[in-house]
């Protein structure tokens, strides 16, 4: 993102030829952009509070602590969000320490931080998945556009729920990335985790939903080769925000107790693959994660433990 703060601009330029300071030294482009965006918000707050820029001459540990406290008490940000901002600020402070000999220590040392909230997102259970699938039994309106939208949205939800694609990868799928057959199917996921391409398997339910959508798509006048299109004149490629809003509405119509999101659908896919396959290496390859990272994706509940005990 573009910044109006010179200190943030200089940090972003430095990152083009240097590793990201701190924990995520091999940060992806998405991680780096997230850091820059959060640092820019801190710089904007610092400017409003002090009239200065957060440069080596001006920034102190007390300023950082004030910002963290303001996020918690005034803005009411969740602990994980506060920690995300802190990670960006710490990377910036480590950058100052590396590039300015006047900085003798890490300015983020001793900052009081909230405790990280345990991960509560988890995959949908069987009854919840059935509730989601029932949402697509009939169109939401009695129009041709609604019928077409139902076919498209079912394909989107089934692909995320059974393949485990991230929403940004889903909206960027091209027709040439799909290989769908009667007995097997695959999706070429371009520029996945670590910038590597990978091939993901497509279970039967997702294959059937995708095949139905592709058949319907052939009748549309799409001047692009993206798999998913808007259902309105021009049929432009579908965006991430549109998918997020649609998935949220599906969750409401399914009367789920949790707020449905593309990421929860991804959790669902991981849960299903893990349960059916039982091989973490295979599941990690499907999801585009290391085995260690993958284990964080599906929270185990008391019901899961009691259910497992009943099976023994």
């Amino acid at each position: 993102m573009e910044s109006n703060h010179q200190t943030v601009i200089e940090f972003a330029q430095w990152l083009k030829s240097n590793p990201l300071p701190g924990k995520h030294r091999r940060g992806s482009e998405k991680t780096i952009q997230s850091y820059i965006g959060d640092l820019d918000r801190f710089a904007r707050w610092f400017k409003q509070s002090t009239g200065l820029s957060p440069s080596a001459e001006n920034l102190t540990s007390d300023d950082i602590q004030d910002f963290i406290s303001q996020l918690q008490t005034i803005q009411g940000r969740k602990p994980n969000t506060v920690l995300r901002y802190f990670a960006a600020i710490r990377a910036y402070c480590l950058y100052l320490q590396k590039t300015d000999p006047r900085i003798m220590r890490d300015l983020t040392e001793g900052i009081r931080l909230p405790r990280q909230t345990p991960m509560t997102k988890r995959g949908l259970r069987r009854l919840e998945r059935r509730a989601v699938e029932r949402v697509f039994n009939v169109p939401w309106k009695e129009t041709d556009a609604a019928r077409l939208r139902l076919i498209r949205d079912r394909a989107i939800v089934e692909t995320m729920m059974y393949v485990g694609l991230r929403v940004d990868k889903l909206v960027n799928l091209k027709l040439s990335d799909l290989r769908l057959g009667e007995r097997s199917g695959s999706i070429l996921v371009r520029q996945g985790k670590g910038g590597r391409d990978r091939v993901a398997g497509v279970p039967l339910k997702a294959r059937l939903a995708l095949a139905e959508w592709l058949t319907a798509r052939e009748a549309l006048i799409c001047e692009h080769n993206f798999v998913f299109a808007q259902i309105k004149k021009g049929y432009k490629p579908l965006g991430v925000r549109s998918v997020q809003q649609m998935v949220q509405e599906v969750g409401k119509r399914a009367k789920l107790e949790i707020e449905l999101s593309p990421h929860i659908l991804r959790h669902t896919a991981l849960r299903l693959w893990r349960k059916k396959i039982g091989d973490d290496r295979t599941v990690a390859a499907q999801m585009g994660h290391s085995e260690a990272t993958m284990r964080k994706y599906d929270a185990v509940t008391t019901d899961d433990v009691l259910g497992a005990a009943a099976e023994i």
Side-chain angles (χ1 to χ4, degrees):
M1 65 168 291
E2 297 294 329
S3 174
N4 295 323
H5 300 279
Q6 186 60 33
T7 51
V8 179
I9 294 172
E10 291 172 357
F11 179 52
Q13 291 175 340
W14 184 83
L15 286 177
K16 292 180 180 179
S17 55
N18 293 277
L20 188 64
K23 181 179 178 181
H24 301 290
R25 292 180 59 82
R26 297 181 181 179
S28 66
E29 183 61 28
K30 185 176 180 180
T31 300
I32 291 173
Q33 289 305 312
S34 176
Y35 272 45
I36 297 300
D38 289 343
L39 182 62
D40 187 69
R41 294 181 187 93
F42 169 66
R44 192 160 58 241
W45 170 87
F46 190 84
K47 180 72 173 179
Q48 292 172 348
S49 300
T50 67
L52 303 170
S53 65
S55 62
E57 295 89 349
N58 301 325
L59 187 60
T60 69
S61 295
D62 288 340
D63 295 316
I64 298 171
Q65 186 66 70
D66 286 347
F67 179 67
I68 295 298
S69 298
Q70 190 248 10
L71 289 175
Q72 292 180 265
T73 59
I74 298 177
Q75 296 188 24
R77 297 299 183 97
K78 295 180 179 179
N80 288 357
T81 302
V82 175
L83 294 173
R84 192 197 73 205
Y85 275 103
F86 177 74
I89 296 170
R90 183 168 189 270
Y92 175 68
C93 289
L94 292 176
Y95 148 76
L96 290 179
Q97 195 175 359
K98 284 176 175 288
T99 58
D100 193 323
R102 295 173 297 174
I103 304 297
M104 305 297 292
R105 64 183 181 85
D106 176 6
L107 294 175
T108 62
E109 287 183 356
I111 299 296
R112 298 184 302 278
L113 297 170
R115 291 185 177 181
Q116 188 169 16
T117 305
M119 181 177 286
T120 56
K121 290 183 179 178
R122 43 84 171 172
L124 300 178
R125 274 43 176 180
R126 183 176 62 85
L127 294 180
E128 293 171 319
R129 295 197 305 273
R130 298 297 174 264
V132 166
E133 290 171 347
R134 280 194 290 271
V135 170
F136 299 105
N137 282 348
V138 296
W140 299 357
K141 295 180 180 179
E142 289 299 322
T143 65
D144 290 339
R147 294 184 184 92
L148 190 59
R149 189 173 288 110
L150 178 137
I151 295 172
R152 182 203 65 186
D153 292 350
R154 180 196 287 126
I156 289 172
V157 169
E158 300 270 344
T159 299
M160 288 192 287
M161 189 159 62
Y162 291 105
V163 179
L165 290 187
R166 295 181 178 86
V167 63
D168 59 323
K169 299 305 177 187
L170 180 129
V171 298
N172 284 303
L173 280 180
K174 303 289 184 63
L175 295 173
S176 58
D177 296 332
L178 302 184
R179 295 287 185 274
L180 303 178
E182 290 185 13
R183 295 184 176 275
S184 66
S186 66
I187 292 176
L188 175 61
V189 183
R190 300 182 184 276
Q191 293 293 300
K193 201 74 170 178
R196 298 184 296 271
D197 293 351
R198 76 176 193 280
V199 175
V202 185
L204 178 61
K205 284 192 174 183
R207 288 205 308 274
L208 294 175
L210 280 167
E212 185 180 11
W213 163 244
L214 292 178
T215 299
R217 187 189 182 283
E218 290 178 358
L220 307 180
I221 305 174
C222 294
E223 297 181 354
H224 59 81
N225 63 348
F226 289 95
V227 172
F228 296 107
Q230 299 175 14
I231 308 299
K232 59 183 179 181
K233 188 175 180 179
Y235 301 109
K236 294 180 180 180
L238 198 62
V240 168
R241 186 59 184 152
S242 295
V243 173
Q244 291 171 332
Q245 290 173 338
M246 179 273 290
V247 170
Q248 188 176 27
E249 179 62 23
V250 168
K252 292 178 181 177
R253 288 176 178 268
K255 295 181 171 57
L256 300 181
E257 294 182 358
I258 59 174
E259 183 176 303
L260 190 60
S261 68
H263 203 56
I264 286 179
L265 292 174
R266 177 170 163 81
H267 281 247
T268 304
L270 187 145
R271 178 181 175 84
L272 291 171
W273 276 75
R274 206 180 215 175
K275 184 175 181 180
K276 295 293 185 181
I277 305 302
D279 176 13
D280 277 356
R281 291 192 303 170
T282 300
V283 181
Q286 171 74 12
M287 299 298 154
H289 266 306
S290 67
E291 292 179 57
T293 301
M294 187 201 68
R295 293 189 188 102
K296 302 176 184 178
Y297 261 72
D298 193 37
V300 177
T301 67
T302 300
D303 287 343
D304 293 327
V305 175
L306 296 178
E311 296 296 327
I312 297 175

